[in-house]
């Protein structure tokens, strides 16, 4: 794990004119510069094929930085310093003849090189080969790969194999930006620094676990990518399974990358396969239709399509009842739910503890006797433990009342802004620390589990269930959990 220090390096950003680069990566690098965490000599090479010059490039980055960084966080001196680190280099990544000129540019310094691939994963292998043939790679070079890596297990292996011809696993940093979120890292602190929870974290004490990652945004300009992927590949295969791993894994021996990743892999291997028999009971697949999100009317998924695939069966919502077949989690269901155009932007994990073994209070209050640990990842990051107390007042007798023991991060640590995930991830790559990145076997075991669900859907050839934009998903996702005598938690922390 890193300590914060300025590391000498150059960053080559492949796909520097793309959505991710302009919306997330340049703003994150700017924040690191502002926090004085970039080495003075660090250069950032923006690589793209658009026929623009250095001046246009800087202007595009400047405009997007202002758009995606709160005005109060823009410091004109830092902005000027940051822009002076940026160089535009026009190149088609699949044109092998263009890499000698790039090599010349990269050789202007002997700084270790970080290559960040913010491009479609299908060309990662080709970029690696071209960099290698031009002599631009050495043992110090690190590469950062964006998700999703592949479309299924087979394509993921092809990409990983192509990259592995030129880079060792220690040089490869596979991004899952959820691992860079402060609150997600906090799961490790919460679980392994507090013996209170450590001793309660198993099937003896936990009844079930919910993981919700709900978004209010639709697909908009990413339709071309998303329609091929769908919510299972876009969100479950990576972010939700990573969250599940961090919640379910056994304590790692230490905080080294491989200790943590070894434990996560054990969880992925223990996931109960969802075969065609259990598919309809354990997986709900939805697609939003027109509705309204936070008071604004919005079109349905198919209406956003530009007629590219007006009959598309791609899912924009998935709910899954997952089970982990190991000693710790025997018979503890994990309910996962994620969707676009839902009622709120909300990512949270709820741990529902078991009720006391012997009940002594008024019979009509039986239903409220449950402790819940609510871990709010975004927005309003915080942790809240619902406990039962006696309701105050002489007339109340021994009546129970649920109330929160609450830790709201922005109130408690109000002097600090919560850094964006990509800031943390850039810092870790610069420091050479892989603990927040995903190892090849993790990706592949996650695909094994997801592929079975996708293949089940294909064999059934069924359409996803409709849900109105601005709702919590198809009714059947509520029925799925209600049939088990439980309900989704949608209240605020
Ligand atoms: N956007 C997001 O929120 C997220 C994106 N990702 C991942 O990040 C990566 C980038 O995504 P995103 O920024 O959205 O995609 P974009 O399509 O917006 O950007 C990709 C960029 O790569 C460029 N590119 C593609 N092929 C070539 C080529 N042969 N030569 C030169 N440039 C090329 C494109 O150039 P051109 O415009 O000329 O085609 C484009 O600028 C993907 O792997 C995606 O899955 C992951 C999580 C979130
Ligand atoms: O990786 C992705 O994540 C975003 C959601 O990220 P968040 O940090 O805003 O929660 C999602 O919108 C996108 O479709 C997906 O590719």
């Amino acid at each position: 794990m890193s300590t914060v220090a300025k590391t000498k390096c150059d960053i080559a950003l492949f796909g520097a004119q793309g959505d991710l680069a302009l919306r997330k990566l340049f703003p994150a690098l700017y924040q690191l510069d502002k926090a004085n965490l970039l080495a003075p000599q660090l250069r950032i090479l923006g690589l793209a094929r658009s026929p623009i010059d250095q001046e246009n490039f800087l202007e595009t980055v400047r405009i997007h930085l202002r758009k995606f960084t709160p005005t109060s966080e823009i410091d004109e001196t830092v902005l000027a310093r940051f822009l002076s680190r940026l160089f535009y280099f026009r190149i088609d990544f699949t044109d092998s003849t263009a890499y000698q000129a790039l090599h010349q540019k990269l050789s202007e310094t002997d700084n270790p090189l970080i290559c960040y691939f913010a491009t479609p994963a299908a060309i990662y292998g080709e970029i690696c080969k071209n960099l290698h043939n031009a002599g631009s790679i050495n043992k110090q070079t690190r590469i950062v790969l964006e998700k999703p890596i592949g479309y299924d297990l087979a394509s993921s292996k092809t990409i990983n194999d192509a990259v592995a011809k030129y880079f060792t696993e220690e040089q490869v940093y596979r991004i899952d930006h959820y691992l860079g979120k402060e609150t997600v890292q906090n799961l490790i602190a919460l679980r392994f620094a507090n013996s209170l929870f450590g001793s309660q974290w198993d099937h003896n004490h936990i009844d079930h676990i919910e993981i919700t990652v709900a978004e209010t945004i639709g697909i908009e300009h990413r339709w071309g990518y998303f329609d091929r992927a769908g919510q299972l590949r876009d969100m479950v295969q990576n972010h939700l399974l990573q969250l599940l791993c961090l919640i379910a894994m056994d304590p790692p021996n230490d905080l080294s990358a491989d200790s943590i990743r070894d434990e996560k892999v054990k969880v992925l291997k223990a996931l109960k396969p969802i075969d065609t028999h259990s598919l309809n009971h354990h997986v709900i697949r939805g697609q939003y239709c027109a509705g309204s999100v936070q008071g604004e009317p919005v079109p349905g998924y198919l209406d956003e399509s530009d007629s590219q695939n007006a009959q598309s069966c791609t899912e924009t919502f998935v709910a899954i009842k997952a089970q982990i077949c190991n000693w710790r989690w025997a018979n503890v269901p994990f309910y996962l739910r994620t969707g676009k155009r839902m009622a709120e932007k909300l990512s949270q994990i709820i741990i529902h503890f078991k009720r006391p073994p012997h009940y002594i209070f008024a019979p009509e209050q039986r239903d409220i006797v449950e402790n819940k640990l609510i871990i709010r990842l975004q927005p309003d990051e915080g942790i809240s433990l619902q406990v039962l107390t006696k309701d105050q007042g002489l007339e109340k007798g021994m009546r129970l009342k649920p109330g929160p023991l609450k830790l709201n991060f922005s109130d408690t640590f109000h002097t600090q802004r919560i850094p964006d995930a990509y800031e943390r991830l850039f810092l870790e790559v610069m420091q050479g620390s892989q603990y927040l990145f995903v190892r090849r076997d993790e990706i592949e075991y996650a695909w094994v589990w997801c592929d079975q669900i996708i293949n089940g859907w294909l064999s059934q050839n069924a359409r996803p269930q409709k849900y109105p934009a601005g709702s919590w998903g198809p009714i059947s996702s509520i029925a799925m959990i209600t049939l088990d005598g439980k309900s989704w938690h949608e209240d605020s922390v």
Side-chain angles (χ1 to χ4, degrees):
M1 188 171 330
S2 70
T3 52
V4 175
K6 297 180 192 181
T7 312
K8 207 172 98 172
C9 62
D10 282 346
I11 299 174
L13 187 42
F14 291 76
Q17 290 285 287
D19 174 70
L20 184 73
L22 293 172
R23 203 163 47 82
K24 290 284 186 184
L25 304 183
F26 287 117
L29 287 164
Y30 162 81
Q31 291 287 3
L32 292 180
D33 204 352
K34 185 161 180 258
N36 235 353
L37 292 170
L38 298 185
Q41 60 279 68
L42 182 145
R43 297 186 313 163
I44 301 166
L45 263 65
L47 310 178
R49 61 184 162 193
S50 319
I52 54 168
D53 60 15
Q54 169 79 1
E55 210 175 301
N56 296 147
F57 172 63
L58 293 185
E59 189 51 21
T60 312
V61 175
R62 190 186 285 114
I63 290 168
H64 285 84
L65 268 175
R66 289 195 191 281
K67 185 168 169 192
F68 295 110
T69 309
T71 313
S72 60
E73 290 172 22
I74 297 280
D75 174 323
E76 295 300 333
T77 313
V78 177
L79 182 58
R81 180 176 77 209
F82 178 69
L83 292 175
S84 74
R85 298 173 182 279
L86 265 53
F87 300 91
Y88 184 65
F89 191 91
R90 186 180 168 202
I91 179 170
D92 179 337
F93 305 145
T94 57
D95 176 5
S96 58
T97 61
Y99 279 72
Q100 271 311 325
L102 175 62
H103 183 63
Q104 297 286 314
K105 186 78 192 162
L106 296 172
S107 308
E108 285 171 4
T109 75
D110 59 1
N111 289 344
L113 180 64
I114 294 172
C115 295
Y116 195 121
F117 295 172
T119 70
I123 60 171
Y124 292 169
E126 201 168 350
I127 302 177
C128 293
K129 181 174 157 198
N130 288 333
L131 283 168
H132 167 83
N133 289 347
S136 304
I137 293 176
N138 60 38
K139 285 193 176 136
Q140 290 185 298
T141 311
R142 296 172 196 152
I143 54 162
V144 184
L145 306 183
E146 263 300 338
K147 61 129 284 236
I149 299 188
Y151 180 78
D152 54 14
L153 178 63
S155 55
S156 168
K157 280 189 166 172
T158 304
I159 295 166
N160 280 321
D161 283 346
V163 169
K165 280 191 192 155
Y166 308 102
F167 292 97
T168 63
E169 186 62 29
E170 288 66 39
Q171 293 176 286
V172 181
Y173 292 71
R174 294 183 194 82
I175 292 252
D176 183 310
H177 77 272
Y178 268 56
L179 296 180
K181 290 182 191 277
E182 284 285 308
T183 40
V184 174
Q185 291 160 56
N186 232 313
L187 294 175
I188 295 180
L190 181 78
R191 287 197 53 202
F192 305 122
N194 296 287
S195 54
L196 169 69
F197 295 122
S199 59
Q200 304 290 307
W201 215 258
D202 63 17
H203 67 101
N204 289 314
H205 304 96
I206 292 178
D207 182 76
H208 67 284
I209 293 178
E210 270 179 69
I211 304 179
T212 291
V213 178
E215 298 181 79
T216 48
I217 55 165
I219 311 302
E220 294 134 11
H221 61 280
R222 293 180 75 211
W223 218 87
Y225 151 76
F226 188 87
D227 196 56
R228 229 176 94 70
Q231 194 73 355
L232 188 88
R233 293 187 179 92
D234 188 49
M235 295 294 288
V236 178
Q237 191 274 343
N238 34 77
H239 307 321
L240 274 91
L241 286 184
Q242 284 293 323
L243 294 178
L244 178 137
C245 284
L246 291 175
I247 286 291
M249 70 185 188
D250 277 357
N253 293 351
D254 51 42
L255 285 178
S256 68
D258 276 337
S259 293
I260 295 176
R261 299 191 298 186
D262 287 347
E263 295 306 331
K264 287 195 285 171
V265 164
K266 285 189 207 160
V267 174
L268 292 166
K269 285 167 83 170
L271 276 171
K272 186 172 178 184
I274 297 185
D275 58 20
T276 36
H277 297 295
S278 48
L279 189 64
N280 292 337
H281 309 292
H282 290 186
V283 184
I284 304 297
R285 184 169 166 247
Q287 186 187 73
Y288 62 83
C289 51
S292 79
V293 176
Q294 288 158 348
E296 290 295 318
V298 294
Y301 177 71
L302 297 181
D303 307 322
E304 286 175 345
S305 80
D306 259 349
S307 308
Q308 292 174 70
N309 182 4
Q311 291 308 311
S312 170
C313 281
T314 299
E315 79 288 352
T316 60
F317 173 97
V318 196
I320 304 179
K321 177 180 173 181
Q323 281 165 296
I324 299 172
C325 299
N326 66 15
W327 195 287
R328 185 187 284 269
W329 297 115
N331 297 319
V332 178
F334 284 69
Y335 298 97
L336 315 180
R337 174 175 68 155
T338 178
K340 308 275 191 244
R341 285 279 192 237
M342 296 188 64
E344 272 177 49
K345 176 149 178 86
L346 173 68
S347 300
Q348 64 182 13
I349 300 169
I350 320 271
I351 315 292
H352 295 259
F353 289 94
K354 285 193 164 155
R355 287 151 195 239
H358 177 62
Y359 184 75
I360 58 173
F361 300 97
E364 67 275 15
Q365 291 202 292
R366 196 178 267 273
D367 279 353
I368 64 167
V369 185
E370 178 188 286
N371 294 129
K372 289 182 206 176
L373 178 65
I374 303 167
I375 305 164
R376 179 69 84 101
L377 305 176
Q378 60 186 22
D380 305 329
E381 292 83 350
I383 297 168
S384 158
L385 179 65
Q386 180 179 286
V387 291
L388 279 299
T389 53
K390 180 193 166 298
D391 202 358
Q392 302 291 317
L394 290 174
E395 72 285 7
K396 301 275 172 56
M398 182 49 86
R399 288 201 65 80
L400 299 173
K401 191 176 171 193
L405 289 179
K406 214 166 168 177
L407 173 66
N408 178 292
F409 292 164
S410 63
D411 293 347
T412 311
F413 311 114
H414 46 83
T415 49
Q416 293 172 15
R417 67 177 267 279
I418 297 181
D420 184 75
Y422 283 97
E423 295 170 40
R424 162 60 54 197
L425 295 174
F426 266 120
L427 214 49
E428 297 297 329
V429 184
M430 289 189 244
Q431 315 268 315
S433 158
Q434 289 186 305
Y435 89 113
L436 295 178
F437 296 86
V438 187
R439 205 169 57 191
R440 176 175 178 159
D441 50 352
E442 290 179 71
I443 304 252
E444 295 185 352
Y445 281 113
W447 275 126
V448 169
W449 192 70
C450 290
D451 276 359
Q452 199 176 18
I453 297 176
I454 293 166
N455 291 337
W457 285 341
L458 286 174
S459 70
Q460 292 187 342
N461 197 20
R463 293 195 72 78
Q465 296 166 37
K466 295 285 180 191
Y467 64 98
S471 69
W472 284 104
I475 304 278
S476 49
S477 65
I478 299 166
M480 177 181 84
I481 192 166
T482 313
L483 279 173
D484 290 348
K486 309 177 198 309
S487 57
W488 296 105
H489 179 102
E490 278 145 18
D491 307 338
S492 53
V493 183

